[in-house]
Amino acid sequence: MIRVALTTATLLASVSLAATATARPMTPEDVARLEGVGQVAIAPDGSRIAYTTSRLPDITEGEENGATRSELSVAWAPDNARQFLPLDVNPGSVEFSPDGRMISFLWAKGEEKRSVWGIPVDGGAQRKLAEVRDSAVRQYAWSPDGATLYLLTGAEEDKAREKAKKAGFNAVVYEEEETMNRLFAAAVGEEPDAAPRAIPLTGYVSEVHILPDGRNAVVKSAPSPRVDDSYTSMRVNVIDLATGAVKAVVATPGKLGDVEISPDGRQLSLIAGVDQHDPADTTLHLADVATGAFRALNPEAAEATVDAAWLDDGRLAAVIHVGARSLLRVYKPDGTVDHEHEGGELILTGVETAGGKIAVRANSPQHPTELFVWEGGAFQRWTKHNPWLSEITFGRQSAVTYTARDGQQIEGVLIEPVGGAPRGGAPLIMNVHGGPEAHESNGWQTAYSKPGQVAAGQGYAVFLPNYRGSTGYGVAFAKQHQGDYAGKEFDDIVDAKRHFVTQGIADPDRVGITGGSYGGFASAWGATYYSEEYAASVMFVGISNNVSKFGTTDIPNEMYLVHERKWPWEEWDHLMERSPITHVGKAETPILIMHGADDTRVDPSQSYELYRHIKTRKPETPVRLVLYPGEGHGNQRATSRYDYNLRMMEWFDTYLKTGNRKAALPAPRPALPEGTTGAEAKKED
């Protein structure tokens, strides 16, 4: 017994030493190859789960640049799955047919337009199920009997307009040449229906769900395709599938998110805003299909509903975020709570149900999104992507609450440097989310624009604050930022800095800030108005001038309704006072400004303005503007994301880690490791 114990101890010590020897920090190259679970669908009998794995081309290994692609797999049990389609198939909108014998998906084969395809679950090749030959299918839904596929497509091609474009008459008339979607019913057979039946629609329909009776449908409709209308005027309509006539309207007054139909077809669940000034669709509602009458289930709760799905017995499963944590809640058919289960270390982000099975998408501080199934009183992990993460040494991560200057409690997520903060504090990066109607959870927090564990491995602490205006803490908290651009919301971030300095986590002279969109606004504000607080800033698709932003954005009404609550002409001076360009005279913070050249949400001119003001008025302050051609409000292609991550970390290494605000600018283009797509090969000696 003694000898066995000694041998076991020796083996454990050897394993521990080996793990320590192979442990390493996370790198930008690791971020470039991350993959995770995307869509999830459960077979009607609950026997299997189809899911997609989403990944970008790994350009650090020489793969061709591109956007995110998906691969379809089917799982029967934990760690028991197989790939179901050839790698050249990029499936979207994965569903099971009503009889469970086929998995359907959207795909554009070669030069063809996107159509509905299917692959038998018991073997066989994929085949096209339905199409509209003159337009790509944008969304689809099965009839309950599986005999019909309903296809939502774009407008019919305007051949005369296309001919004029080819001749050079390609002028665009802004907001006057919008087209509406169309709905078709296609019979399912051995070959695609050559003449699907058109169904008239009212408004711009972006989503369709078929009711259990097979005669009616629930659609999400807005007055136009404009993003502003999708935020402020989206409503649920119940329509007759024979005529397209609207039979009932669920007139929720604010933003509208997930919509699901109960098994008996009598009720809808909706995640929506409680009023037109609610910043986000985070409140769960139940609606009567026959009349459109609706009621909110949790309007006063300090939480956010992020997804929901009906169980076969008429109960409703919902993913709830309470601040930085999550839980699964099950409601009875009448809307009362049946039971709930804490996510623990998991952050649940989506839920699917069928055949008595509840599956969730979830991440944690140690891994991106994976598939879990609720069974045996616990969340059982079914998939394991990114096995190399076992090599990574992670910084300790936790939810932290602190008190702002006016007494308001603010929560956020802290990632400590690997090995902990040194005496005197570590360089700290404030990573500020956009919206501001969003929130950070204590889960996976590393991405191309989020320094996360890459920074932790390089000796930084990272804090992700859920400042005033964030979701997850109730509607009242989310509304606290309204009418107060850059006020208490960004003061909260400075107060976080002071908290962490007091705690010995942060070096007061080495605190930086980064974020995108509204987080980019915070980063610009931090580099100008609050320049004395921040040693470096990285601003992404951010706001610098609240007056010109209104005139160049695609969401002017949303800005008025849920953010400022006043029109610009009611407060010109106030808007300029709360604009970073007004405070450039104080700008001594080195700032890297990055923007998608085709951004329609926050026009690139916002970045141009701040760059030009700093460059002209404060020429001694390091500033750089980087534009990404073909990218919009966030980078989508692999090269753009990798390049962003390299530049962000290089900027912080140059100015924040050193605490030297006057350091020379880094080279205009970051060095790419050998083997990376686009990198120059090393010359032979």
Side-chain angles (χ1 to χ4, degrees), residues 359-569:
V360 297
R361 296 181 298 279
N363 60 77
S364 81
Q366 284 77 41
H367 64 76
T369 302
E370 298 285 2
L371 170 64
F372 290 79
V373 172
W374 176 258
E375 53 189 358
F379 292 105
Q380 304 292 337
R381 184 171 175 175
W382 276 40
T383 60
K384 293 179 181 177
H385 297 83
N386 312 298
W388 51 267
L389 283 173
S390 62
E391 306 167 11
I392 302 300
T393 302
F394 290 94
R396 180 176 179 271
Q397 183 172 315
S398 60
V400 172
T401 300
Y402 63 96
T403 304
R405 64 192 67 180
D406 62 356
Q408 174 70 55
Q409 295 291 292
I410 304 294
E411 188 181 37
V413 176
L414 174 66
I415 303 173
E416 298 179 34
V418 171
R423 184 180 298 275
L428 169 66
I429 301 171
M430 296 292 184
N431 186 184
V432 186
H433 67 69
E437 61 275 23
H439 63 273
E440 302 289 3
S441 297
N442 189 23
W444 185 254
Q445 286 293 356
T446 306
Y448 81 94
S449 63
K450 303 184 82 168
Q453 292 291 346
V454 172
Q458 297 181 22
Y460 296 91
V462 179
F463 185 63
L464 302 101
N466 285 332
Y467 55 98
R468 267 170 272 206
S470 300
T471 54
Y473 302 88
V475 175
F477 186 87
K479 286 184 175 182
Q480 281 197 45
H481 103 106
Q482 293 180 340
D484 191 23
Y485 281 149
K488 293 183 292 293
E489 56 191 10
F490 295 165
D491 293 346
D492 288 344
I493 305 169
V494 172
D495 293 344
K497 169 191 171 178
R498 293 169 182 165
H499 170 78
F500 290 117
V501 168
T502 301
Q503 295 294 310
I505 298 292
D507 178 343
D509 297 323
R510 293 189 298 160
V511 175
I513 187 169
T514 189
S517 194
Y518 212 85
F521 180 22
S523 302
W525 191 251
T528 54
Y529 180 87
Y530 268 134
S531 183
E532 64 181 14
E533 302 286 353
Y534 298 107
S537 175
V538 177
M539 169 191 178
F540 187 38
V541 293
I543 302 158
S544 68
N545 181 338
N546 282 309
V547 172
S548 60
K549 195 261 186 176
F550 179 87
T552 54
T553 187
D554 58 4
I555 52 168
N557 289 294
E558 197 255 4
M559 285 178 61
Y560 165 73
L561 287 171
V562 307
H563 295 304
E564 190 58 5
R565 303 286 295 272
K566 288 185 179 180
W567 298 107
W569 49 89

Side-chain angles (χ1 to χ4, degrees), residues 573-637:
D573 292 343
H574 175 73
L575 285 182
M576 289 309 303
E577 174 59 28
R578 297 298 178 89
S579 295
I581 60 168
T582 300
H583 303 281
V584 164
K586 296 185 264 185
E588 296 182 355
T589 300
I591 181 169
L592 173 61
I593 305 168
M594 295 190 274
H595 215 121
D598 296 337
D599 190 353
T600 58
R601 182 64 37 76
V602 177
D603 192 270
S605 60
Q606 291 293 306
S607 288
Y608 280 110
E609 285 193 49
L610 185 59
Y611 171 82
R612 186 59 65 204
H613 277 270
I614 294 175
K615 196 76 174 175
T616 304
R617 190 174 179 185
K618 300 286 287 188
E620 71 280 5
T621 298
V623 59
R624 171 171 286 160
L625 172 60
V626 177
L627 297 170
Y628 290 98
E631 299 288 6
H633 198 59
N635 292 348
Q636 300 301 314
R637 294 194 297 271

Side-chain angles (χ1 to χ4, degrees), residues 6 54 78 87 96 102 207 217 224 227 314 344 393 401 409 447 455 504 560 586 606 661 670:
L6 287 173
S54 299
L87 290 178
F96 276 91
M102 185 170 289
E207 202 171 297
S224 81
V227 176
T393 302
T401 300
Q409 295 291 292
Y560 165 73
K586 296 185 264 185
Q606 291 293 306
R661 296 186 180 212

